[in-house]
Amino acid sequence: EPEVTQTPSHQVTQMGQEVILRCVPISNHLYFYWYRQILGQKVEFLVSFYNNEISEKSEIFDDQFSVERPDGSNFTLKIRSTKLEDSAMYFCASNRGRMNTEAFFGQGTRLTVV
Amino acid sequence: AQTVTQSQPEMSVQEAETVTLSCTYDTSESDYYLFWYKQPPSRQMILVIRQEAYKQQNATENRFSVNFQKAAKSFSLKISDSQLGDAAMYFCAYRSANGGAAQGGSEKLVFGKGMKLTVNP
């Protein structure tokens, strides 16, 4: 069964460093998303991406964040200068079509900023 | 803005028994989707069941069923014949059906805070 794959599973980085979280969505999916979950809290939407551009973003997704689909298969989330409060589980999701279909989630990347 | 509320942070159930997880939501939209996601200790988010708001019939997936009360904005999940593998965090989620941001709607999932289900042998 096809699945969304995220790498790495765990990333530890120093405050102020740049990190790139990688995702390979399901191959025939067209819509891509990043969500995050701070430990013990709810899952929060960050950004959605379609047709090589951001279609929606939340207030959390400020100038420190960017997304890219560099090669038609990977979908990346970059955090330019990490803060302690960026420590969270980051989930990538993809969707075949926007309407009437559910999003499939990857297994998540745990980001720890020290 | 839409909100999703899961008022019970934790519940427990005996193996083979039935448990109901509650969820309420608030929206001014008439067309939307509701979901229950399961998050086991591995942390992956797994879709359990989905309900379209325009459908009156409650969704069912094997041991999982929902009680969707649109007027009351309630969306509870019933797990029958609970198994040890059902132990997980369960999240209720909402998504607009009114198109994406360009159409004035939203594609994002709005999640509740989650509920931890323990299954006792």
Side-chain angles (χ1 to χ4, degrees):
Chain A
E1 186 173 326
E3 59 183 19
V4 177
T5 306
Q6 290 185 244
T7 54
S9 57
H10 190 192
Q11 171 103 37
V12 181
T13 188
Q14 294 220 325
M15 192 169 55
Q17 295 295 305
E18 174 184 286
V19 293
I20 297 176
L21 309 183
R22 302 180 192 280
C23 169
V24 179
I26 295 173
S27 62
N28 62 346
H29 284 192
L30 301 176
Y31 296 83
F32 314 112
Y33 310 89
W34 284 101
Y35 290 81
R36 80 170 184 191
Q37 184 183 31
I38 295 172
L39 187 63
Q41 298 187 25
K42 66 168 70 175
V43 178
E44 301 172 293
F45 170 77
L46 292 178
V47 66
S48 60
F49 191 86
Y50 168 69
N51 200 25
N52 283 320
E53 62 182 19
I54 291 173
S55 51
E56 187 178 358
K57 61 182 181 179
S58 72
E59 292 174 353
I60 303 167
F61 194 88
D62 61 22
D63 292 344
Q64 296 294 319
F65 292 88
S66 62
V67 289
E68 199 176 33
R69 189 157 161 81
D71 56 12
S73 62
N74 289 286
F75 178 51
T76 62
L77 174 69
K78 182 191 291 186
I79 308 175
R80 189 156 56 88
S81 177
T82 50
K83 309 183 196 65
L84 294 176
E85 54 264 37
D86 293 328
S87 295
M89 196 78 167
Y90 287 81
F91 291 100
C92 173
S94 69
N95 197 327
R96 179 164 43 90
R98 190 180 64 244
M99 309 308 293
N100 203 32
T101 56
E102 63 266 18
F104 291 83
F105 282 78
Q107 78 278 23
T109 292
R110 182 184 300 279
L111 176 66
T112 302
V113 182
V114 298
Chain B
Q2 294 81 26
T3 58
V4 176
T5 302
Q6 293 179 253
S7 56
Q8 303 153 301
E10 290 191 50
M11 291 187 75
S12 63
V13 63
Q14 290 296 125
E15 198 175 1
E17 297 292 306
T18 295
V19 64
T20 299
L21 287 57
S22 63
C23 172
T24 58
Y25 59 94
D26 190 29
T27 183
S28 58
E29 297 177 326
S30 59
D31 200 11
Y32 47 86
Y33 304 100
L34 296 165
F35 305 86
W36 278 99
Y37 279 89
K38 169 185 176 182
Q39 187 182 43
S42 65
R43 302 299 294 256
Q44 184 165 9
M45 299 288 287
I46 302 165
L47 179 69
V48 175
I49 199 164
R50 182 185 83 182
Q51 175 80 42
E52 290 89 345
Y54 68 86
K55 289 188 178 178
Q56 292 189 341
Q57 187 173 8
N58 289 322
T60 299
E61 287 286 341
N62 300 314
R63 298 182 295 108
F64 299 87
S65 61
V66 299
N67 183 6
F68 173 49
Q69 301 289 328
K70 191 172 184 180
K73 294 179 182 170
S74 168
F75 182 61
S76 60
L77 174 70
K78 185 171 83 171
I79 305 175
S80 304
D81 185 26
S82 297
Q83 300 176 359
L84 295 177
D86 295 333
M89 286 289 293
Y90 285 82
F91 292 92
C92 180
Y94 171 103
R95 197 187 86 195
S96 170
N98 290 334
Q103 289 78 37
S106 175
E107 305 165 33
K108 69 183 178 187
L109 285 165
V110 177
F111 286 88
K113 287 187 175 180
M115 193 224 67
K116 180 179 179 181
L117 178 67
T118 301
V119 181
N120 300 311

